[in-house]
Amino acid sequence: MKSVSLQKLVTVLILMSGMTHATNEKPPNILFIFTDDHALNAISAYEGPLAKIAPTPHLDRIAREGMLFKHCLVSNSICAPSRAVVLTGKYSHLNGQLTNKDMFDGSQQTVSKLLKKAGYQTAIVGKWHLKSTPTGFDHFEVLKGQGQYYNPLLFTNGKNVKHTGYTTDIITDQSLKWLETRNADKPFFLMTQHKAPHGRWEPALRHLEVFEDMEIPEPPTLFDNYDGRTTAPAQHKMGIADHMGPHRLMFQYSSKFTPEQFKIFDGHFRPLNDAFEKLNLQGKARTRWNYQRYIKNYLRCVKAVDENVGRLLEYLDDNGLANNTVVIYSSDQGFWLGEHGWFDKRWMYEESLHTPLIVRWPGQIQPDTTNTDLVSNLDFAQTFLDIAGARQPGDMQGLALTPLLRGKTPANWRKTHYYHYYEAGGHGVPVHYGVTDGRHKLIRFPDDTLDAWEFFDLKKDPNEMQSRYGDPQYTRTIAALKEELNRLRKQYQVENFENP
Ligand code: CA
C-alpha cells in the first residue's frame, strides 16, 4: 500500500515538474538590430571587396554563430517605406507608406501590437522615421526624423529628452538601460535601430583617424557612363562626382556639436579640407577624392555600429540571455558604395535591392551557415510572430523564415521577388517595378517619358551594365518573366493600384 502511494506521489511529482517546466518555458526573446543604409559590401561576413580593409568582427560573430542570408531583397529600397514593410508584413501600397514623405498610419495592424498581445514586452530605441507616434510598444525612445550623429534628441514615451554624445553609442546605451529595467517575467521584443550608417556620415571622435592613410579600392564601375541601358540611370542625382554637396563631404557639418566635440571633429577635417582646396582637383581626380572622403566616413560610421553590436551581444552573454534570444541583424535597404558612380539607394539594381540579414538562434540554427534562398524584408513580421509562437494574420504578404533558419527550405518557397519603388524623382530615380528570380531581372519604368524595360542576365553581367531587353536569345525568358510579373502583381494586389 505504502509503496504504491509513494510510487503515485513520485509520478505526480514528475508530472508536476514537467508541467512547471512547460509553463516556465518562455518563448525566445527577439533582439532586432536594424541599421539604415548598410550595404552588404560593408560587412566583412559578406566577403565583399572591402572585407579585409574594414572588418566587422561583431557582425561576423552573429554570422559565425548563426545564418547569413545572401539574397535578402527589399520590396521598396528606401528608408521609411522599408520600415513600414517590416512592421506590417505588407507591400507599400497596402501599408500606405509609399515614400519617405508619407506619414505611417499607426492605427493599422503591426507586428509590435501582435507581439504585445502574444505576451511580449515590446520596445523600440533609435531611428523610427515614420513621422507618426510609435504604436504597439511598451517603451519607445526614438529620434525625430533623420536624427543627427551627435547629441540626439530622443522622443521618449511622449517626451523629448536631450542626450550628449555619439548617437550610435547612445542608442545602445538606452537599449541596454531598457533591458536592465524590463519586466524579466515576459519575453522581450527589442528593436534597436541605428541612424548609422545613413548620411551625412559623421564618424565618432574615436574613429576619425581610422582609414585616413589608406587608399580604399574603387569599385570597377565608379566611372560608369550608363551606356547599354535605358535613359533612366543616367538621369540620377546621386553621383559621387556631382551630387554629394558640402555636408556629405564634411566641408560643412550637420550635427550640433558641443565645443569640446567640435574642437576634435573640426580639428580633424579642417586641415584636410584646406589641403584639398589647394590641390584644386578637377574631373576624375576630384571624383576619386570624393569617393575616398565618402567611403572612409561611411566605413567609420559602420565601425561604430559594429562595436555597439558587440556591446549588445556581450550583454546577452553576461546576463544568461544569449541562449534564449534570437538576434537578427538587418538594414532598411542596401546602399551604393560608389558602384555605378553612386551613393544612395532606391534602384532595383543589385546593391540597393539587397539588404543584409544575419540571424543567430542557438539550438535552432546550425552555426556558420549560409542561405541563398530569395527572402525579403516582407518576411520579417511573420518571422517574428512565428518565433514567438503567435498566429500569422492571413493578410500579411510575406513568409516566416523559421523553416529556413532550421535548415529546411520548403519545396514551394518563393522563386521570384517583386519590387516596387514609388518616390518619383527622389535623387533622380523614377518610379519603377520589376521581378527577379535571382538569375535574371526584369525592370519596368512605366512613366510616359520613359515607358521602357530593362532586362539583365545577372550571371553573365553581375554589374548590370548591359540591358538585354530585346535581345532575341532572351525572348522566351523575358516573356516568362513578364508573365511572372503579372502573376505577382495580382497576388500582391498591386495590379489595380493607382499611385496617388
Ligand atoms: Ca535607409
Side-chain angles (χ1 to χ4, degrees), residues 226-258:
Y226 314 109
D227 284 352
R229 283 143 283 175
T230 66
T231 56
Q235 291 169 33
H236 76 88
K237 292 189 178 67
M238 53 172 79
I240 305 277
D242 300 318
H243 305 111
M244 298 209 86
H247 283 93
R248 289 193 188 89
L249 290 170
M250 275 334 111
F251 291 97
Q252 287 171 26
Y253 313 134
S254 304
S255 287
K256 289 192 184 78
F257 293 104
T258 65

Side-chain angles (χ1 to χ4, degrees), residues 278-394:
K278 279 193 195 111
L279 291 173
N280 192 27
L281 298 174
Q282 305 291 329
K284 282 193 173 180
R286 170 69 204 246
T287 304
R288 294 203 147 103
W289 188 92
N290 284 2
Y291 170 73
Q292 294 296 326
R293 174 55 64 95
Y294 157 54
I295 193 70
K296 286 175 185 176
N297 286 332
Y298 181 95
L299 293 174
R300 288 163 180 153
C301 291
V302 166
K303 194 167 171 61
V305 167
D306 187 64
E307 289 172 358
N308 278 286
V309 166
R311 292 176 65 205
L312 286 171
L313 297 179
E314 195 181 353
Y315 180 87
L316 299 179
D317 289 338
D318 292 349
N319 290 275
L321 291 166
N323 277 335
N324 201 34
T325 300
V326 186
V327 177
I328 303 168
Y329 184 85
S330 189
S331 170
D332 58 354
Q333 14 58 215
F335 209 67
W336 300 101
L337 301 180
E339 303 91 348
H340 301 291
W342 291 333
F343 65 91
D344 213 72
K345 51 262 179 176
R346 301 165 196 266
W347 299 102
M348 198 194 162
Y349 306 127
E350 291 293 89
E351 283 81 355
S352 51
L353 177 64
H354 279 75
T355 204
L357 177 63
I358 316 176
V359 186
R360 185 181 78 176
W361 189 0
Q364 300 288 325
I365 294 177
Q366 174 79 29
D368 207 7
T369 45
T370 300
N371 177 291
T372 56
D373 298 310
L374 291 182
V375 305
S376 171
N377 59 343
L378 190 68
D379 302 328
F380 292 2
Q382 281 158 269
T383 304
F384 300 151
L385 291 170
D386 205 36
I387 288 169
R391 198 182 65 82
Q392 301 166 44

Side-chain angles (χ1 to χ4, degrees), residues 31 71 81 83 94 113 141 149 159 171 204 212 251 287 294 302 324 327 367 378 402 420-421 433 494 496 500:
L31 171 59
H71 299 296
R83 286 153 201 278
L94 296 185
K113 289 180 190 173
E141 194 165 0
Y149 270 103
K159 274 191 204 147
I171 288 169
E212 194 52 59
F251 291 97
T287 304
Y294 157 54
V302 166
N324 201 34
V327 177
L378 190 68
T402 30
H420 204 139
Y421 171 79
Y433 58 85
V494 72
N496 297 320

